[in-house]
Amino acid sequence: MAAGTRRFPAGLLAAWTATRLLLLLFVLKILVFPGPDVTSDVSVTYQGWYEVLRTGTYPLNDVTWQYPPAAALAVLSPALLPFLDYATAFFVLALLADLVVLALLLYAGTRTGRSLRGAWVWVAGVALLGPTVYARYDVMVTAVAVAALLAGTRHPRVMGALAAFGALLKVWPVLLLLGARKRAAWLSTAVTGVTLVALFAVSMPGAFAFLTFQRDRGTEVESLGALVFHMARQFGWEGQVLLNYGSVEFLGPYVDVVSAASLLLSAAAFGWLVLWRVRAGRFASYTLAEAAFVAVLMFTTTSRVISPQYMVWLVGLAAVCLCFRGSRMGVPACLVLAACLLTVLEFPVWFDHVVASDWLGVLLLFARNGLLVIATLLAGLELWEGTVGVASPSASVPVPVPVPTGGVEGGSRLPGSEGGQVRVRRGLSRPRGGAA
């Protein structure tokens, strides 16, 4: 690498091209990926919503519509490519969203003090998750979130607008604001959010029906709380595993108790985040991204539902963190990548084992969810220590130094020696520039 320049990331781009071509071959069914068909959500569910949304209303009679009003834009987006059938157009747009994220991370990673590690995390993470990434609209939401975080330091108004738009696509991008310190970001979020909400409410009926549908969800079989019932089934628990509210969930005795416990854990996570925000006193350029990563990790891990596509959010936020050389999120990011590999194994490859709660399915879930728990705890600890914890040993501290009564060199005083002290760096035996 020449001084002040970077090599063209040919290896990175080659890896992205090869892995994404493979993903396209899978979703287009030119190659067959093991396990159940992950593209049915697009070809059946999304396309069904598309036909309803084209009439000017939300799918009011479909309990599987559990998304904020701007999600309609993602579902309608294949209309931009009328020369392709609906599913193919959606997959192409998902690929373009993936490419946008890569371009943003490459641009950010080549600036002074930045790194291409983030771009590598994105390339690897999406590849590990398999074709599910292109068969859900979460990659589009992640592109908006990545753009918002990278804009946050220099352009808080842009960040606020993008965060508001992202929240109306899938709620979770509102967590990007946790580490925002500039009032402009919050004001922009409020103005954009209110404006968009008003537009959706006026233009199409049923914009907020999703709130009721989300409230009525149960405990999904891949969630952290579901491990209770996977184990209970080994001892004769009488519940069932059924398709409910658009996902495979546990139904039966004590499910409501576990669901309530998940909500309590999420509430506790929110309380910790509020405490962190109040106590945090040191903000670096990467703190905004790290805070968002920790917040989304916490809410994903404690959620009643951990769908495979949720991992795309974590990969995107981890990638933004690692664009900064000083970020402390390296280990949690690696744990998330490992969890991505286990995620594609539990869905779709061996999803029948998960539904059956046999030893393979339970082991996969314990490992994947265990990695998420460890990543959450480590990331939270790193965020706390980096912003709230004890100052680093190199911090400037007052050290008593005797000052002659008559001054130094003809009555002059040492700079900063008022009150008989000078400020020196801990670990140095003498003031900088002073005599032995």
Side-chain angles (χ1 to χ4, degrees):
M1 185 180 298
T5 63
R6 287 185 182 274
R7 291 176 185 166
F8 182 75
L12 180 65
L13 295 177
W16 184 89
T17 302
T19 55
R20 276 33 175 195
L21 176 60
L22 195 58
L23 292 185
L24 274 181
L25 292 175
F26 283 131
V27 293
L28 294 174
K29 299 182 181 178
I30 297 172
L31 296 178
V32 178
F33 199 80
D37 179 15
V38 300
T39 66
S40 61
D41 272 28
V42 175
S43 58
V44 178
T45 306
Y46 285 13
Q47 190 163 1
W49 292 339
Y50 173 82
E51 298 300 334
V52 175
L53 290 166
R54 289 177 63 189
T55 67
T57 183
Y58 286 90
L60 299 178
N61 298 319
D62 188 348
V63 296
T64 62
W65 176 262
Q66 300 168 5
Y67 307 105
L73 300 179
V75 175
L76 290 169
S77 63
L80 297 172
L81 303 175
F83 48 87
L84 296 174
D85 65 83
Y86 182 88
T88 302
F90 186 92
F91 301 145
V92 170
L93 291 172
L95 172 69
L96 290 177
D98 180 2
L99 182 59
V100 167
V101 175
L102 179 67
L104 290 170
L105 294 171
L106 284 174
Y107 175 76
T110 54
R111 295 172 60 186
T112 303
R114 304 292 181 87
S115 170
L116 290 177
R117 292 182 305 163
W120 276 110
V121 167
W122 178 253
V123 170
V126 171
L128 288 172
L129 285 171
T132 303
V133 177
Y134 285 0
R136 307 290 188 272
Y137 82 91
D138 295 80
V139 66
M140 303 173 185
V141 185
T142 303
V144 174
V146 168
L149 281 178
L150 292 176
T153 303
R154 295 187 173 186
H155 307 286
R157 290 184 179 85
V158 175
M159 178 200 171
L162 289 172
F165 178 58
L168 288 173
L169 281 169
K170 208 162 188 181
V171 181
W172 67 266
V174 74
L175 296 172
L176 305 181
L177 295 167
L178 183 67
R181 303 180 69 197
K182 295 182 180 179
R183 210 174 279 177
W186 290 89
L187 181 61
S188 177
T189 301
V191 172
T192 304
V194 169
T195 302
L196 290 176
V197 164
L199 286 174
F200 283 115
V202 170
S203 61
M204 296 176 67
F208 299 99
F210 77 98
L211 294 172
T212 301
F213 299 154
Q214 278 284 0
R215 181 193 63 198
D216 294 335
R217 295 194 72 160
T219 297
E220 191 253 352
V221 294
E222 298 164 274
S223 66
L224 183 64
L227 290 172
V228 174
F229 301 111
H230 282 294
M231 295 304 299
R233 292 179 83 184
Q234 315 303 318
F235 300 96
W237 180 68
E238 297 178 353
Q240 296 177 298
V241 178
L242 297 174
L243 184 64
N244 187 52
Y245 286 96
S247 65
V248 181
E249 298 180 351
F250 280 114
L251 299 175
Y254 308 110
V255 170
D256 56 339
V257 175
V258 172
S259 295
S262 295
L263 291 174
L264 286 175
L265 282 176
S266 295
F270 179 75
W272 185 91
L273 291 168
V274 170
L275 177 63
W276 168 79
R277 190 64 180 83
V278 171
R279 295 286 305 277
R282 297 192 303 276
F283 285 77
S285 58
Y286 46 81
T287 302
L288 181 69
E290 291 190 341
F293 179 50
V294 171
V296 176
L297 256 176
M298 286 185 168
F299 281 101
T300 299
T301 303
T302 61
S303 174
R304 293 174 294 172
V305 180
I306 305 181
S307 296
Q309 61 267 25
Y310 291 11
M311 299 298 297
V312 182
W313 317 342
L314 299 177
V315 171
L317 298 182
V320 176
C321 290
L322 294 194
C323 278
F324 299 88
R325 292 189 182 277
S327 175
R328 301 161 64 99
M329 295 297 159
V331 173
C334 289
L335 293 174
V336 166
L337 290 180
C340 288
L341 176 58
L342 293 175
T343 296
V344 77
L345 292 178
E346 62 91 359
F347 183 89
V349 177
W350 287 319
F351 191 59
D352 54 338
H353 293 277
V354 172
V355 173
S357 299
D358 64 19
W359 69 269
L360 178 58
V362 173
L363 182 62
L364 280 172
L365 283 183
F366 261 107
R368 195 281 300 272
N369 292 346
L371 285 174
L372 289 180
V373 170
I374 295 170
T376 301
L377 295 175
L378 287 179
L381 179 62
E382 293 288 3
L383 180 66
W384 185 276
E385 289 185 345
T387 56
V388 181
V390 179
S392 63
S394 61
S396 177
V397 294
V399 179
V401 176
V403 179
T405 304
V408 180
E409 296 184 1
S412 62
R413 299 175 64 89
L414 288 172
S417 62
E418 292 80 0
Q421 291 183 338
V422 294
R423 299 188 72 83
V424 299
R425 294 282 176 179
R426 187 179 296 173
L428 296 179
S429 60
R430 67 194 70 171
R432 291 184 181 179

